[in-house]
Amino acid sequence: MLTTIIRVVILYLFVSASIRIMGKRNIGELQPTELVITLLLSEFASIPIEDNSVPLINSLIPVMILISLEIINSVISMKSTKFRSISDGNALLIIKDGKLDQKQLKKLRFTVDDVLSALRQKDVFDINEVAYAIIETNGTLSVLLKPQFQNATKQDVKVKTKNDGYTCPVIIDGVVLKKNLDVLEINKEDIERILEKKKVHKKQIFLMNIDKNKNAEIILKE
């Protein structure tokens, strides 16, 4: 039993580190090669857990080889557009000016229902409102509506706006996040002044967000 627990811990740490090396993506955003490697990683990792007689190295070596292949693939893809096209495929235009491209749908093996369902997930219920719709290499749908169906922006209605910049969490569960202070170009003294003004101690804070203009939003611990 102890052997199994140790194997699980080792493989968990090793596979987690391997996936971190591959980069951060959601499952729905994985390219085909990345998805294949992810599936193979789980398969190789499960073998020594199911059978303690299998040496642990028999899984670690294949995992290292797969990660090496993924890194090599990524490097070559960055250098060569042709290789990237072969490896990851190309985005395909399936709707132009409200009209479906049936040839592209057949190439993708998409039904009309598939397209309409994907459009509804983008809050588009009428295909005639679509200027362009593109299937990305990871299978997701990108949609550009015709101008008359796009939401008006503040620029369209000539409303003046101010840019408060990127809002970051600076305190989580009473702990100050120094790396986010650096992003906002503020220091701990600035945070202390804000807390003093708000009459609250950092240990009372569950979450504190702040923007570059030092506008703070605080959620206290319950």
Side-chain angles (χ1 to χ4, degrees), residues 206-220:
F206 179 70
L207 174 64
M208 176 176 172
N209 292 324
I210 194 168
D211 60 34
K212 70 172 185 178
N213 293 327
K214 301 178 184 177
N215 298 315
E217 178 184 357
I218 296 174
I219 300 174
L220 298 177

Side-chain angles (χ1 to χ4, degrees), residues 182-193:
D182 296 336
V183 171
L184 294 167
E185 297 180 350
I186 60 177
N187 53 44
K188 288 187 177 181
E189 287 72 24
D190 294 321
I191 298 298
E192 292 296 336
R193 282 193 289 270

Side-chain angles (χ1 to χ4, degrees), residues 108-124:
L108 292 165
R109 295 189 295 279
F110 270 34
T111 66
V112 175
D113 286 337
D114 292 331
V115 177
L116 294 178
S117 175
L119 287 174
R120 287 194 296 271
Q121 292 177 49
K122 296 288 185 178
D123 296 326
V124 179

